[in-house]
Amino acid sequence: MQKTLLATAVAVALGVPAVAAAQNAELEQIRRQIQELKENYEARIKALENQLKSAESSARKAEQSATEARAAAQKAETTAGRAEQSAGKAEDSAVQAAQRPVSQNALNPAVSLILNGTWGRYGNDPSAQITGFHGSGASEMLPRGGSLGESELFISGNIDPRFRGAFLAALSPEGVEIEEAFVETLSIGKGATLKGGRFFSGMGYWNSVHPHAWDFTDASLVQRAFLGKNYGDDGVQLRWVAPLPVFVQLGAELGRGKDFAGMGEVERNTNGKSSEAFFAKVGSDIGVSNSWQLGASHLRQRTTNTGVPMFDYDDLTGLVNVFAGRQRITGADFVYKWAPEGNPRYRNFRFVAEYYQRKLDGDFTFDTATLALTDPANAKQSGWFAQGAYQFMPYWRVGLRYDRLSAGTVNLNANAANLTAPSFNPTRWTTMVDWNPSEFSRIRLQYARDRSRQDIATGETISDNIVFLQYIYSLGAHGAHRF
């Protein structure tokens, strides 16, 4: 028994340290777990605190931005109110200004003077005109030698917020001619413009362009033969530009018919209209550097009972012959422009081509002084030209133009026994070079190989070499020209 007690005591003595060691290890593990939990919670709390600070900062910035936005909106609203009030006052002032008398210079209209002189050299007498198409004096020909030419006095300006006025007088050694004097609207809206007075017609392309802005010194053969230098009338014109991605313009004109296009002035003592014109134009851009425009036009006219000279038949016969009836002229025109990157300052090119057809239907009286033989007559003639002008470097341009007319068919019926209508087709080549030191001045040298006349006795073509030296100077404010 003593042995048993001894063994038990020894076992207890040996097991107590082991149990204590095990308990110490467990306590150490618990301490480590507690420490890890404390570190994790501290890190999480710190992250939450940082997130809270960031959210509070964003909220403060958002509140500040909202405050600034409210202040800006209030300022914009105040500015808009003031602008509306100012616009109302401006409109009231404009209406009041339109209703009260104004001094002569109050509206400060644009005034310009174009000096346009020439020196001309012809191989033949320039008084004779285009054989089979045009009588002497029906269209102005530039004279031989030095000439003061035709200067232009141009005055234009807004009359009030609703109307604009323009006045153009051609000044020459022979006298003064009012070429244009019209009023047109500014505020009809919907793309419409109404013009009334005297103005150049919208027929074709070059007809409504003043001569100082032409690419050549003189007009084309078909322009001179069918419309004259610039065909215009006294009446009204309505133009409308369609709200489309491309340029589309439609126009109509009603006039008194003061000129029978291509054949001279008409003395009228009648009421109502005697001429009608219609035109349409469409155009657009091709990229940045190219643009084009295509046009069509139509003119209808009637003479008085006394009639007008027909073509150059008075020159051919030495007698007085007249035509009484109606005329219809139909035309087509095309314009192409090029300028690198849309900047024409250093280089640019313009190509223009026009075609016209003229039809006459009425009565022709041969030798009004003696025979006075009257019989129905009709005619159909046509013509065209193509030209190009190229600015190859700053200040310098060159140009080339070709003209051709077709005699077509002329039926004089019984009067064919007294007069044989020429079946001649006039042509002409023209070249030019001009120097443009500024937008206000131009000096041009032009040469033409002209074959527009025929020797009726022999049937041979009369060739001529024509040279012009021209100067154009612009004084004062002058508006930009159209496309």
Side-chain angles (χ1 to χ4, degrees):
M1 183 175 179
Q2 291 178 347
K3 292 179 179 180
T4 302
L5 292 172
L6 181 60
T8 301
V10 171
V12 170
L14 295 173
V16 169
V19 172
Q23 289 178 345
N24 290 335
E26 185 176 357
L27 291 173
E28 185 64 27
Q29 184 178 3
I30 291 172
R31 292 189 185 97
R32 285 198 304 269
Q33 290 178 353
I34 292 173
Q35 184 65 28
E36 289 177 357
L37 287 174
K38 288 177 65 179
E39 292 177 353
N40 289 338
Y41 277 115
E42 288 177 356
R44 189 173 179 184
I45 291 171
K46 188 175 182 180
L48 290 173
E49 288 176 348
N50 292 336
Q51 187 174 355
L52 178 61
K53 290 179 180 179
S54 178
E56 289 176 347
S57 177
S58 298
R60 285 194 298 271
K61 291 181 179 178
E63 185 177 358
Q64 184 179 0
S65 298
T67 303
E68 293 176 353
R70 285 193 295 270
Q74 185 176 3
K75 184 178 180 180
E77 185 177 357
T78 303
T79 304
R82 291 175 179 174
E84 184 177 358
Q85 184 178 6
S86 299
K89 290 180 179 179
E91 184 176 358
D92 292 341
S93 299
V95 173
Q96 292 173 6
Q99 294 174 347
R100 67 174 179 263
V102 296
S103 63
Q104 184 174 1
N105 296 323
L107 296 178
N108 193 25
V111 180
S112 65
L113 178 65
I114 309 297
L115 303 178
N116 185 353
T118 60
W119 176 88
R121 182 193 180 281
Y122 295 82
N124 300 303
D125 184 359
S127 61
Q129 299 292 301
I130 308 168
T131 300
F133 290 83
H134 217 285
S136 297
S139 177
E140 302 87 347
M141 281 290 292
L142 297 173
R144 282 174 163 169
S147 170
L148 183 59
E150 183 182 272
S151 299
E152 297 178 357
L153 176 62
F154 190 71
I155 304 173
S156 65
N158 291 350
I159 299 171
D160 55 33
R162 297 173 178 81
F163 297 97
R164 169 183 175 269
F167 172 86
L168 186 143
L171 314 175
S172 68
E174 287 73 31
V176 178
E177 178 185 0
I178 300 176
E179 292 189 336
E180 291 193 283
F182 60 83
V183 174
E184 64 181 354
T185 60
L186 296 173
S187 59
I188 288 183
K190 306 297 184 182
T193 301
L194 183 65
K195 179 189 292 187
R198 175 173 296 183
F199 50 85
F200 290 156
S201 172
M203 292 285 294
Y205 179 76
W206 286 120
N207 181 75
S208 60
V209 178
H210 298 143
H212 70 268
W214 291 349
D215 285 339
F216 292 83
T217 303
D218 52 356
S220 65
L221 293 180
V222 68
Q223 173 83 21
R224 287 170 48 203
F226 290 179
L227 295 176
K229 187 187 67 174
N230 289 100
Y231 169 71
D233 205 351
D234 298 343
V236 294
Q237 179 193 77
L238 177 64
R239 304 190 307 273
W240 176 68
V241 178
L244 297 172
V246 298
F247 173 73
V248 176
Q249 183 186 71
L250 304 178
E253 300 169 356
L254 299 178
R256 66 183 292 264
K258 70 180 185 67
D259 289 323
F260 200 65
M263 298 189 196
E265 296 184 358
V266 178
E267 293 294 333
R268 293 193 179 276
N269 186 21
T270 59
N271 296 316
K273 63 179 179 61
S274 296
S275 70
E276 303 168 345
F278 308 92
F279 57 88
K281 301 181 186 299
V282 58
S284 185
D285 295 330
I286 306 174
V288 178
S289 304
N290 307 274
S291 57
W292 61 273
Q293 179 179 282
L294 182 65
S297 52
H298 182 73
L299 173 67
R300 297 194 301 231
Q301 294 182 301
R302 296 194 66 89
T303 70
T304 60
N305 293 332
T306 55
V308 296
M310 186 171 177
F311 307 151
D312 57 347
Y313 292 171
D314 288 5
D315 297 336
L316 298 177
T317 63
L319 304 171
V320 176
N321 311 276
V322 297
F323 168 82
R326 66 176 183 173
Q327 173 173 242
R328 290 168 292 170
I329 299 175
T330 303
D333 57 270
F334 175 74
V335 184
Y336 166 78
K337 288 186 177 183
W338 169 83
E341 300 301 322
N343 181 10
R345 180 177 178 83
Y346 302 106
R347 287 192 301 152
N348 63 79
F349 173 74
R350 172 164 56 185
F351 173 83
V352 182
E354 294 191 57
Y355 168 85
Y356 287 99
Q357 182 186 80
R358 171 170 63 188
K359 293 182 179 180
L360 296 176
D361 186 13
D363 293 324
F364 176 73
T365 301
F366 176 81
D367 189 7
T368 58
T370 305
L371 293 179
L373 178 58
T374 301
D375 207 40
N378 58 75
K380 182 171 72 173
Q381 300 176 316
S382 62
W384 61 275
F385 76 88
Q387 69 178 58
Y390 176 50
Q391 179 177 310
F392 57 94
M393 62 183 297
Y395 314 130
W396 290 94
R397 297 193 314 163
V398 293
L400 181 66
R401 178 178 66 188
Y402 177 72
D403 301 87
R404 184 176 181 85
L405 296 175
S406 173
T409 58
V410 178
N411 184 6
L412 300 177
N413 291 307
N415 278 310
N418 301 311
L419 172 65
T420 301
S423 58
F424 176 63
N425 299 323
T427 61
R428 182 178 63 178
W429 282 98
T430 307
T431 184
M432 72 85 183
V433 57
D434 60 31
W435 177 52
N436 305 268
S438 74
E439 59 182 309
F440 304 104
S441 60
R442 171 174 293 166
I443 297 177
R444 173 184 291 140
L445 179 63
Q446 176 175 304
Y447 165 78
R449 178 65 172 172
D450 184 89
R451 296 169 63 85
S452 63
R453 288 176 289 174
Q454 182 185 43
D455 187 327
I456 300 301
T458 64
E460 295 182 356
T461 300
I462 300 174
S463 298
D464 200 354
N465 296 310
I466 304 173
V467 179
F468 290 121
L469 180 62
Q470 179 186 27
Y471 67 82
I472 302 173
Y473 292 102
S474 176
L475 291 79
H478 190 76
H481 296 98
R482 64 183 180 85
F483 177 85

